[in-house]
Amino acid sequence: MLSALKKYLLLPKLVKLASNAPKDPGVAWDQYWGRVGATGARGDVLWDSGSDHELRAYLEHLTRQLDPSLPIVDVGCGNGVFSRALAAYFPHVLGVDVSANAIARAAAESEGLERVSYAAVDMTAPAGNRAVTAALASAGFTGEANIFIRGVLHVLKKPAQAALAGQLHPLVGKRGRVFLAETDFHGNPVQYVSHLGATLHSIPGPLEKAIRGLPMPGRFGTAQRRRAFPEASWDVVEDGPVTLETRPLKSPDRPEQIPGYFAVLQAR
Ligand SMILES: C[S@@+](CC[C@H](N)C(=O)[O-])C[C@H]1O[C@@H](n2cnc3c(N)ncnc32)[C@H](O)[C@@H]1O
C-alpha cells in the first residue's frame, strides 16, 4: 500500500518538468522534433519502437478493411516510421504533420524510397483537407484516400479531435476508410509514467524529453471516438483493443506496451 502511494511523490517532479513546455501545441511539437537526436529502438523518440511488430498486428485490419487501390494519408506522421512501412501495401503514402521539423526528419529518413511523400499540414485547421488534396494531386492521385492515424488523437484536446475528424470526412469520400490506433491507458498521469518506467529516482530519457516538451497526453477509446467521430457522420466498421509499443525503456531490448484502442471508420 505504502509503495503504491509512494509513486505519487513523483507528481511534483512531473509538474515541474512539464511547466516549461510551450503552451501552443504546434510550437511544442515543432520544437520537440527540431531537438530530438536519433530515432528507433535506441533513439530519443518515446513512441518509436524501432520494430514493425505493432504494425504487423494492424495489417490484418488494414488489408481486410481498406481499399488497397487508394492512396493512404498518415496523419501526424512524425518521423515517418509508419508511412514507410505502409508503402508496401498502398500505391502511395502521404505523411502529413503539423511540425515542419517532423516532415524534414521524415523526408530525410525516407530518402530514396518510392511511393512516399510528405507535407507539413495542421490537420485541425479548416484548410487541412484542401492541403492534403493538393499534396496528393502533386503525387498524381485525385479522389478518395484512406487515412492512417497512430498516436495522434490522444495528444489533442477534445475540440481539436473533432476538428481533425471533420477534416478527414471529405478526404475519405465513399471508398476511403480511416484506421486509427490510439493510446487508451486507464489511469492518471502518475500511473501512466510509472507504467513506462518512471520512478522517484529516475525517468527514462525519451519519456523525460516528452514530459518536458510536449502537451500532456490523454486517452482515446470508445467514448472519445464517439464524440470526435459522431454517428451522424461516421459508421464504425470495426473496433477493439490493440497494443501500442514504445521504444524499450525498462530493459534494453523489449518495447514497453501501452493498452490502446483501434477503429476502422467509414464516412456516412
Ligand atoms: C505521438 S506522435 C506520433 C507520430 C507517428 N504517428 C508515430 O506513431 O510514429 C504525434 C504526432 O502528431 C503530430 N501532430 C500533433 N498535432 C497535429 C496536428 N494538428 N496536425 C498534424 N499533426 C499533428 C505531432 O507533430 C507528432 O508528430
Side-chain angles (χ1 to χ4, degrees), residues 78-205:
N79 56 317
V81 179
F82 284 86
S83 312
R84 288 185 285 283
L86 289 168
Y89 304 95
F90 295 91
H92 190 82
V93 186
L94 171 67
V96 296
D97 201 285
V98 69
S99 160
N101 281 325
I103 290 304
R105 170 65 74 115
E109 291 188 18
S110 309
E111 214 181 309
L113 212 68
E114 287 177 13
R115 312 218 307 249
V116 183
S117 58
Y118 295 100
V121 181
D122 178 353
M123 287 304 295
T124 62
N129 73 79
R130 289 197 296 278
V132 168
T133 301
L136 282 171
S138 64
F141 292 87
T142 53
E144 294 121 317
N146 291 308
I147 305 289
F148 177 88
I149 320 179
R150 183 253 188 187
V152 179
L153 291 157
H154 82 286
V155 301
L156 300 177
K157 300 253 180 280
K158 282 179 212 160
Q161 292 171 348
L164 187 146
Q167 291 304 305
L168 301 184
H169 199 268
L171 290 172
V172 294
K174 291 227 175 315
R175 290 166 62 214
R177 283 180 172 175
V178 175
F179 174 91
L180 63 87
E182 291 289 332
T183 296
D184 188 21
F185 183 85
H186 293 217
N188 60 39
V190 171
Q191 290 165 325
Y192 182 61
V193 298
S194 303
H195 177 79
L196 294 178
T199 67
L200 273 179
H201 308 292
S202 72
I203 300 181

Side-chain angles (χ1 to χ4, degrees), residues 10-36:
L10 251 175
L11 192 57
K13 193 169 175 179
L14 294 182
V15 171
K16 185 155 185 273
L17 280 176
S19 63
N20 288 326
K23 299 292 169 261
D24 178 320
V27 171
W29 282 107
D30 204 40
Q31 197 166 296
Y32 172 86
W33 282 115
R35 289 178 180 169
V36 285

Side-chain angles (χ1 to χ4, degrees), residues 55 72 103 147 150 176 184 186 191 206 208 211 213 227 229 234 250:
L55 178 75
I72 190 160
I103 290 304
I147 305 289
R150 183 253 188 187
D184 188 21
H186 293 217
Q191 290 165 325
E208 184 173 331
I211 298 169
R227 204 166 35 224
F229 294 84
W234 297 93
K250 294 189 265 193

